[in-house]
Amino acid sequence: MDDKKLAALLFKHPAYNVVGHVRPDGDCVGSQLAIFNILMARNIKCNIIKNGNYGSILSPFVDGYAVVSDTQFDPTLPLICVDCSDFKRVGVNIREKYDKPYLNIDHHISNDKFADHNIVDASASSAAQVIAEALIRENIDFDKKTAEMLYLGIMTDSNRFAYDTTTLDTIKVVATLVAKGIRVSKIFQKVYERDTLQKYALLERFLRNVTVFENGRCCMSFITEKDFMETGAELLDTEGFVNYTRQIRDVEVGAFLEFHDNYVKCSLRSKDAAWRMDLLAKEFGGGGHPAAAGFIIEHKDPAFYSKFRSTLAEHVKNILLKS
Ligand SMILES: [Mn+2]
């Protein structure tokens, strides 16, 4: 961490824009809304920039907040980025309006410290944990609503406290959030128990495409744009699908590919950090964490699925050789 004082940075200006990465997830939204609440409590103006669809899961969290579109924000305000490993992650509309963001709050190991001020902790489960730890460390007062948003970010990014990223520090932070009066079951249900039949129809197709290879160590599956169209499922319904590829017995590495008309989105997960999913993702211009990473490429090559399958097998072989 190069900047230790969140309060000094947050309470310096009268107004801000706050943004997360495109295709916002629970950590993005939780971190943005937490920042919003902290600032509003001090009469500091904060605009949440919407740079993607929140979907039916995250929309209820955002309802009632001042949200501006990524084409209509005021670019003269200092920009706070949350949960972005690099500035590209905020999307082109925001990037073209800023030379350099004001503040970068993140937890990706690949974070390139792209802002004037950077609060980055790669040992944290989530950007929300980075924010929560700073609040606690600096004795910055925050309310129950803020605690709920921080919990949302930590719960979703740690995969419900199942990943190794869930450390003693994570649990300590959560203890403080629970002490604020949050109800963890309420937040859990709001995220994980609101499935639609459309999502299950998409999941059915995904499960049909599951294949295991490389002596049972690797698993892959995919869905296509057509699957979304025919099932009526939404983009964010695939959240968590990749976990099925990893949770098969003996599988070490799982990959999930979404073939859209103009791009392919790939999510990578491994049971152990030693499989370095981040390095594999990097080969395709992506990034992430050692056990959870991903990339998006422009879709040009119809043979990408089989090519990627070979690359994945090769990657796993190379790591086995080194161990
Ligand atoms: Mn995150």
Side-chain angles (χ1 to χ4, degrees), residues 29-57:
V29 168
S31 297
Q32 285 185 83
L33 300 186
I35 297 278
F36 179 97
N37 285 320
I38 296 159
L39 293 173
M40 286 308 278
R42 286 151 183 92
N43 288 317
I44 298 170
K45 201 171 159 10
C46 179
N47 301 301
I48 295 157
I49 303 181
K50 183 182 180 187
N51 55 356
N53 188 356
Y54 293 122
S56 57
I57 304 284

Side-chain angles (χ1 to χ4, degrees), residues 96-111:
E96 70 185 7
K97 294 277 166 45
Y98 282 96
D99 288 333
K100 213 174 177 193
Y102 169 68
L103 176 59
N104 154 31
I105 305 174
D106 187 41
H107 69 118
H108 291 91
I109 195 166
S110 54
N111 192 289

Side-chain angles (χ1 to χ4, degrees), residues 204-221:
E204 192 186 342
R205 291 172 182 229
F206 163 88
L207 292 173
R208 244 186 264 152
N209 294 334
V210 166
T211 52
V212 168
F213 54 103
E214 202 51 35
N215 297 318
R217 277 195 191 93
C218 300
C219 176
M220 245 171 101
S221 186

Side-chain angles (χ1 to χ4, degrees), residues 159-160 162-163 192 203 206-207 210-212 216-221 238-256 267-272 291:
N159 186 23
R160 319 170 198 193
Y163 290 158
Y192 296 113
L203 178 62
F206 163 88
L207 292 173
V210 166
T211 52
V212 168
R217 277 195 191 93
C218 300
C219 176
M220 245 171 101
S221 186
T238 60
E239 184 78 34
F241 279 19
V242 67
N243 295 327
Y244 287 101
T245 64
R246 176 183 49 191
Q247 72 195 42
I248 297 171
R249 186 182 301 181
D250 298 330
V251 165
E252 288 290 338
V253 169
F256 166 44
S267 306
L268 299 163
R269 298 289 186 276
S270 63
K271 279 192 176 123
D272 195 284

Side-chain angles (χ1 to χ4, degrees), residues 33 45 58 76 80 111 118 152 185 188 195 206 239 248 254 274-275 311:
L33 300 186
K45 201 171 159 10
L58 293 172
T76 63
I80 301 170
N111 192 289
N118 303 279
L152 167 70
S185 67
F188 182 92
D195 285 344
F206 163 88
E239 184 78 34
I248 297 171
W275 296 106
T311 310

Side-chain angles (χ1 to χ4, degrees), residues 21 25-28 31 83-84 106-108 125-128 153 157 289:
H21 55 75
D25 60 12
D27 191 23
C28 249
S31 297
D83 202 28
C84 297
D106 187 41
H107 69 118
H108 291 91
S125 65
S126 49
D157 250 31
H289 310 285

